[in-house]
């Protein structure tokens, strides 16, 4: 079967752009083939800083021929008799071209009609593939793009060549003022002579000869193997190992690992600071003693070079790393000349936002919130210690070290607090208040750290809700979605039965007490809705069904841990298969209930003695059991009992609707039955919006 090769050659792309582009190109090409009813066999997408592409094997020859029917004039006009066409019939058949197989008379809604059947030839792969590749390129998107030369087309970096092959044939593709050819290019350090690719099967081996490893997974395997060979048995890489390797893989076409060293005097810096500095500037990996946090004065660097002699390269890495560590050591020593608490005054000059005041104002609001809320995690904590932790939380933002390396906020504050003797607990809280970090699993652990981390994020979201800057589109310049997601992760990760709505109330009250800002109508609902949306997206990414999320969160009261447990209980109940029938009956109740609410008054006075029929009394008892289960779930946040009681409605509801007429002529009987259904409907509606559940999934 045919084999396809497509490669787009570009100037060096940013590392973070490579992997998403590889995946998007793969998906777009597969979708393109699927639109034509073609299934691609074995295929691999690839990418380096200088190329993106796909290798596809076992590709179909093209689309198959198909038969098409075309209806023409009525038979009374097109036919002279049963077997002979009239001149108009002949003209119609001839107008359909040479691919007509046969003609015949077909009954239709407008009567007997002349119809022809013709064969539509399939489209060969050589015509389809260029179109599919061009459509895939159009669907690639990047945060930032550029133009070059006289072209009006854009891409993340200038495009330099296009390689497109179907077996030995060059596919005609024109884009970016370039025409496709049958050549690629080797590693930059092996010159700029083109490499002719005679067949897609030869591509990988020819690129390897040109010191280009096109598949990221191959480069990663090679890099890990080299690193293991360089390190001693008593050594291991630091915390950034996985993140760094993933990024370095997308920075190189031919990775070469090497060991560099730096002076012992830089060991005065905290180990995490050394690791961050050398990774941020040179994408080097710190080396630690095995089974310890003791950093060693050496690092693993990765060169994008094919040469065997890496002596000069090593010296270059060491020179740059030494300069960066020299800067960091200077900043660190300068920061140690002043106690951390003295920098609190400087927070008065650092604005969180021009409409929200300074970071010193933020600390004062957090103290107000802590004094107004009765958080169990803060019970027994000395007020002086809590006040000190709140003041120190942001003080490292005024240090030179964090000014140069903002990602170290919290970590440096913890280090300085420990150095100046503020106590281990307070030091740890400073770091925990910044957790969780994006793409990192670590959550705050201490009760005070958990509380202050939550309240700090809550205060930020409250402030931006007050001034109407919560993001509603893709742009999020203040990273508020990240704050809200962090809030969700802490609450769920630490199993906290917190009422987020009540927390927002306290936070809004703190703003009103400390500023002239008045809470606009809808601000609280907007803030809670914003965080709930992050809860929904977080849970959906963790495998929860979208319709279940919508049904549960539509009735969320801000206790996210309860929402999570309700979702788990709902998922278990749906697997048992009764929810489809219950949902249909809940929908039926909704259709029966009048539009006005006058019938609800009767729902307050329901009793078994008011009903004559056994089906009515049985349904009332089932509703009452559901009410008890819902009340218990509200206090315990355990919803299995409520879901079981909801499932138990199936038989009473079915018997009721099979044997009881609701809209009878007797208005008193009708009112009682409507009140019964309203009572049950309101109960169900307090825990689930059944209209959002897919009943097919619940059967």
């Amino acid at each position: 079967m045919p084999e396809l090769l497509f490669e787009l050659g570009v100037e060096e792309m940013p590392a973070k752009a490579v992997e998403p582009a590889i995946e998007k190109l793969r998906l777009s090409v597969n979708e393109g083939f699927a639109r034509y009813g073609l299934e691609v066999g074995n295929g691999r997408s690839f990418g380096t800083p200088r190329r993106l592409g796909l290798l596809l094997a076992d590709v179909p020859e093209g689309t198959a021929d198909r038969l098409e029917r075309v209806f023409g004039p009525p038979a009374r006009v097109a036919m002279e008799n049963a077997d002979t066409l009239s001149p108009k019939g002949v003209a119609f058949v001839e107008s359909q071209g040479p691919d007509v197989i046969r003609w015949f008379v077909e009954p239709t809604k407008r009567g007997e009609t002349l119809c022809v059947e013709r064969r539509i030839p399939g489209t060969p792969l050589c015509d389809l593939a260029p179109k599919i590749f061009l459509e895939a390129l159009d669907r690639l998107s990047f945060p930032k793009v550029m133009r070059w030369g006289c072209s009006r087309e854009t891409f993340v970096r200038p495009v330099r060549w296009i390689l497109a092959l179907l077996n030995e044939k060059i596919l005609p593709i024109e884009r970016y003022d370039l025409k496709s050819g049958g050549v690629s290019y080797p590693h930059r350090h092996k010159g700029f002579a083109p490499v002719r690719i005679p067949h897609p099967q030869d591509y990988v081996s020819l690129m390897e000869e040109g010191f280009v490893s096109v598949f990221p997974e191959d480069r990663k395997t090679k890099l890990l193997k080299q690193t293991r060979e360089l390190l001693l048995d008593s050594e291991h890489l630091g915390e950034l190992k996985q993140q760094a390797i993933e990024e370095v893989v997308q920075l190189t076409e031919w990775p070469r690992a090497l060991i560099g060293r730096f002076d012992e005097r830089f060991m005065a810096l905290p180990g995490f600071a050394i690791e961050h500095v050398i990774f941020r500037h040179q994408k080097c990996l710190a080396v630690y003693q095995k089974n310890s946090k003791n950093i060693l004065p050496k690092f693993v660097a990765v060169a994008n070079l094919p040469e065997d002699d890496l002596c000069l390269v090593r010296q270059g890495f060491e020179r740059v790393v030494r300069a960066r560590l020299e800067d960091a050591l200077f900043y660190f020593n300068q920061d140690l000349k002043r106690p951390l608490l003295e920098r609190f005054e400087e927070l008065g000059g650092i604005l969180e936002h021009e409409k929200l005041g300074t970071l010193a104002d933020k600390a004062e609001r957090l103290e107000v919130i802590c004094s107004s809320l009765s958080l169990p995690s803060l019970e027994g904590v000395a007020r002086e210690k809590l006040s000190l932790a709140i003041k120190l939380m942001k003080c490292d933002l005024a240090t030179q070290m964090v000014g140069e390396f903002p990602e170290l906020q919290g970590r440096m504050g913890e280090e300085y607090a420990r150095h100046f003797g503020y106590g281990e607990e307070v030091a740890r809280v400073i770091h925990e208040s910044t957790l969780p970090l994006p793409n990192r699993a670590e959550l705050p652990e201490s009760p005070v750290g958990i509380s202050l981390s939550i309240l700090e994020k809550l205060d930020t979201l409250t402030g931006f809700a007050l001034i109407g800057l919560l993001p509603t589109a893709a742009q999020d310049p203040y990273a508020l979605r990240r704050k809200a997601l962090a809030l969700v992760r802490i609450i769920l990760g630490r199993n906290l039965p917190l009422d987020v709505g009540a927390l927002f109330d306290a936070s809004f009250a703190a703003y009103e007490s400390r500023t002239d800002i008045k809470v606009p109508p809808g601000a609280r609902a907007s803030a809670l809705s914003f965080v709930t949306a992050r809860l929904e997206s977080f849970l959906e990414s963790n495998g929860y069904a979208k319709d279940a999320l919508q049904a549960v969160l539509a009735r969320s009261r801000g206790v996210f841990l309860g929402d999570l447990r309700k979702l788990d209980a709902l998922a278990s109940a749906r697997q048992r298969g009764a929810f489809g029938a219950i949902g249909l009956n809940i929908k039926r109740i909704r259709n029966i209930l009048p539009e006005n609410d006058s019938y609800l008054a009767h729902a307050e006075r329901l009793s078994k003695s008011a009903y004559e029929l056994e089906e009515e009394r049985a349904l009332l008892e089932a509703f009452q059991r559901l009410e008890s289960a819902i009340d218990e779930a509200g206090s315990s946040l355990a919803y299995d009992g409520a879901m079981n009681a909801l499932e138990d409605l199936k038989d009473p509801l079915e018997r009721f609707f099979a044997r009881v007429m609701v809209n009878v002529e007797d208005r008193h009987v009708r009112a009682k039955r409507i009140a019964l259904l309203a009572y049950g409907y309101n109960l169900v509606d307090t825990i689930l919006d059944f209209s959002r559940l897919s009943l097919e999934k619940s059967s």
Side-chain angles (χ1 to χ4, degrees):
M1 296 182 74
E3 295 189 18
L4 273 173
L5 168 63
F6 175 76
E7 180 189 68
L8 192 73
V10 296
E11 295 290 346
E12 275 80 355
M13 293 182 287
K16 293 181 180 180
V18 178
E19 186 61 36
I22 294 173
E23 181 64 13
K24 183 66 174 179
L25 183 64
R26 183 187 67 81
L27 291 174
S28 298
V29 169
N30 286 345
E31 289 170 5
F33 278 105
R35 282 197 299 273
Y36 292 100
L38 301 177
E39 187 172 335
V40 179
N42 299 320
R44 296 179 72 185
S45 55
F46 60 83
T48 75
R50 295 183 63 219
R51 63 199 79 224
L52 293 171
L54 300 104
L55 265 172
L56 304 175
D58 302 329
V59 184
E61 301 277 355
T63 57
D65 295 350
R66 60 187 176 87
L67 297 179
E68 181 182 63
R69 286 186 173 188
V70 181
F71 290 92
R76 66 177 184 277
V77 175
M79 305 294 295
E80 288 187 353
N81 53 52
D83 300 318
T84 308
L85 293 172
S86 69
K88 286 189 176 181
V90 172
F92 169 70
V93 172
E94 291 178 348
S95 70
Q96 300 307 308
D99 297 319
V100 172
I101 299 173
R102 65 189 180 102
W103 60 264
F104 53 92
V105 174
E106 180 85 0
T108 66
K109 291 182 179 180
R110 56 193 179 99
E112 299 284 324
T113 305
L114 178 63
C115 179
V116 300
E117 190 172 74
R118 62 181 184 176
R119 186 183 304 278
I120 304 299
T123 305
L125 185 61
C126 59
D127 293 334
L128 281 178
K131 183 178 180 181
I132 291 172
F133 288 141
L134 287 172
E135 289 173 350
L137 289 178
D138 290 336
R139 297 178 67 180
L140 289 178
S141 60
F142 303 92
K144 293 182 179 180
V145 295
M146 60 188 301
R147 294 189 179 96
W148 61 96
C150 299
S151 174
R152 301 299 296 172
E153 293 180 294
T154 61
F155 203 69
V156 64
R157 290 292 185 270
V159 179
R160 297 308 186 198
W161 74 86
I162 300 174
L163 167 62
L165 290 179
L166 171 59
N167 292 335
E168 298 86 358
K169 180 180 180 180
I170 296 175
L171 295 174
I173 295 178
E174 291 191 31
R175 183 56 60 92
Y176 311 113
D177 292 340
L178 296 169
K179 291 184 179 181
S180 59
V183 300
S184 184
Y185 288 83
H187 194 286
R188 280 200 185 278
H189 288 264
K190 300 307 292 182
F192 298 93
V195 178
R196 193 179 76 83
I197 311 296
H199 191 279
Q201 292 179 346
D202 305 316
Y203 174 73
V204 174
S205 60
L206 289 173
M207 287 295 98
E208 290 280 342
E209 290 177 11
F211 293 94
V212 176
S213 182
V214 295
F215 297 111
E217 55 269 31
D218 293 347
R219 298 198 298 277
K220 183 176 180 180
T221 300
K222 185 182 300 185
L223 181 56
L224 289 173
K225 181 176 182 295
Q226 294 173 2
T227 303
R228 285 194 296 268
E229 292 173 351
L230 289 172
L231 295 180
L232 302 177
D233 292 338
S234 60
E235 298 172 345
H236 71 99
L237 297 180
E239 296 177 3
L240 288 172
K241 171 186 174 182
Q242 189 61 33
Q243 176 188 352
I245 287 178
E246 294 292 342
E247 191 165 338
V248 168
V249 161
Q250 305 302 353
L251 282 170
T252 60
E253 291 197 312
W254 194 258
R256 296 287 306 280
L258 54 92
I259 290 288
R261 299 183 180 276
F262 54 84
D263 295 343
E264 290 275 356
R265 61 192 181 90
F266 296 123
M267 302 292 285
L269 286 165
F272 66 84
I274 294 175
E275 181 172 20
H276 177 79
V277 169
I278 63 177
F279 172 69
R280 176 182 172 182
H281 285 281
Q282 287 298 105
K283 299 298 181 283
C284 297
L285 307 176
V287 178
Y288 288 78
Q289 285 183 349
K290 201 162 190 176
N291 301 322
S292 78
K293 295 184 178 180
N294 297 327
I295 197 167
L296 299 173
K298 62 193 326 186
F299 58 89
V300 176
V302 182
N304 183 30
L305 291 172
E307 285 83 359
D308 292 330
D309 186 6
L310 297 177
C311 182
L312 290 177
V313 178
R314 178 183 294 105
Q315 293 174 7
F317 272 107
E318 290 176 341
R319 183 171 61 253
V320 176
V321 165
R322 182 169 58 251
R324 299 287 76 81
L325 290 177
E326 195 78 64
D327 292 341
L329 185 59
F330 172 79
Y331 298 138
F332 183 68
N333 289 331
Q334 291 297 111
D335 291 339
L336 293 180
K337 292 179 180 179
R338 288 180 59 199
L340 189 61
L341 189 58
E342 288 186 9
R343 299 181 185 274
F344 181 74
E345 294 181 3
E346 297 177 36
L347 298 185
I350 302 177
L351 287 174
E352 181 178 23
H353 186 277
E354 58 183 2
K355 295 182 180 180
L356 299 178
T358 66
L359 293 181
D361 298 328
K362 187 182 190 74
E364 293 177 359
R365 287 194 303 272
L366 290 177
E367 290 209 48
V368 171
I369 296 173
C370 287
S371 62
S372 64
L373 283 174
S374 57
L375 291 175
S377 56
L378 296 180
E379 292 180 3
V381 177
R383 183 58 54 183
E384 297 78 11
K385 183 178 291 186
L386 184 62
S387 178
L388 177 62
I390 291 173
K391 286 183 177 179
L392 292 175
M393 274 171 57
K394 301 292 182 181
C395 282
D396 61 352
L397 287 173
T399 64
Q400 295 188 49
M401 194 70 173
V402 174
E404 181 67 18
F405 308 106
E407 298 86 352
L408 294 180
Q409 183 200 348
R411 297 290 298 273
M412 293 310 305
E414 177 185 18
E415 185 71 21
Y416 292 145
R418 190 176 288 116
H419 174 83
F420 288 113
Y422 295 120
E424 183 63 30
E425 185 179 358
V426 171
R428 183 63 183 163
V429 166
I430 295 173
H431 172 48
E432 290 184 327
S433 69
T434 65
L435 300 178
L437 300 175
N439 302 317
R440 303 289 289 273
E442 185 182 8
L443 295 174
E445 295 181 2
S446 70
V448 178
I450 291 171
S451 298
L452 292 187
S453 181
I454 288 174
L455 296 180
E456 187 276 334
K457 294 164 180 59
L458 197 77
D459 177 81
T460 300
L461 295 170
T462 299
F464 283 92
L466 282 172
I467 59 178
L469 288 182
L470 291 179
T472 56
Q475 292 185 343
D476 186 9
Y478 301 104
L480 299 179
R481 289 190 179 92
R482 186 182 300 171
K483 288 274 188 183
L485 179 59
L487 186 63
V488 167
R489 288 179 57 194
I490 296 173
I491 291 173
L492 299 186
R494 293 303 180 206
N495 295 313
L496 302 176
L498 296 176
D499 184 340
V500 179
L503 293 179
F504 270 120
D505 288 338
S507 189
F508 279 115
Y511 260 99
E512 284 192 315
S513 68
R514 306 296 301 182
T515 68
D516 295 331
I517 302 176
K518 299 301 178 184
V519 180
R524 178 190 184 277
S526 175
L528 183 57
S529 175
F530 180 74
V531 181
T532 304
R534 305 287 76 71
L535 170 68
E536 180 177 351
S537 62
F538 175 71
L539 292 177
E540 186 177 1
S541 68
N542 281 276
Y544 286 87
K546 189 171 185 64
D547 66 321
L549 284 167
Q550 292 175 342
V552 169
L553 296 184
R555 299 295 177 260
S556 174
R557 288 175 170 78
V559 183
F560 292 165
L561 183 62
D563 294 331
L564 176 63
R565 292 178 177 175
K566 190 188 298 183
L567 280 163
D568 290 334
L570 174 60
S572 298
R574 293 178 84 176
Q575 291 178 352
R576 295 191 287 270
F579 262 65
I582 296 172
L584 291 174
N585 282 320
I586 297 299
K587 182 178 180 181
R588 188 173 182 180
I589 293 175
R590 175 66 269 179
N591 293 335
I592 290 173
L593 296 180
E595 292 297 324
N596 62 68
D597 294 335
S598 60
Y599 59 86
L600 290 177
H602 299 282
E604 302 294 331
R605 301 189 297 273
L606 295 180
S607 66
K608 288 179 64 176
S609 60
Y611 294 97
E612 299 178 358
L613 299 179
E614 177 60 30
E615 291 78 13
E616 295 173 309
R617 293 194 295 271
L619 184 59
L620 176 59
E621 288 179 350
F623 284 154
Q624 289 171 340
R625 288 193 296 271
L626 176 62
E627 183 175 24
S628 298
I630 291 174
D631 291 341
E632 183 179 347
S635 57
S636 67
L637 300 185
Y639 281 88
D640 289 326
M643 291 301 164
N644 291 336
L646 192 55
E647 285 183 278
D648 291 342
L649 293 178
K650 180 177 180 293
D651 292 338
L653 278 172
E654 289 180 349
R655 288 196 298 269
F656 179 88
F657 283 120
R659 301 173 187 175
V660 178
M661 175 69 71
V662 177
N663 290 316
V664 295
E665 292 185 4
D666 188 324
R667 64 185 182 88
H668 296 293
V669 175
R670 182 172 68 248
K672 287 191 296 181
R673 290 174 179 173
I674 288 177
L676 173 62
L677 296 179
Y679 168 55
Y681 182 84
N682 290 337
L683 284 175
V684 173
D685 202 50
T686 59
I687 58 172
L688 282 178
D689 183 352
F690 251 101
S691 66
R692 297 173 184 263
L693 274 181
S694 172
L695 300 183
E696 291 79 5
K697 296 180 181 178
S698 304
S699 299

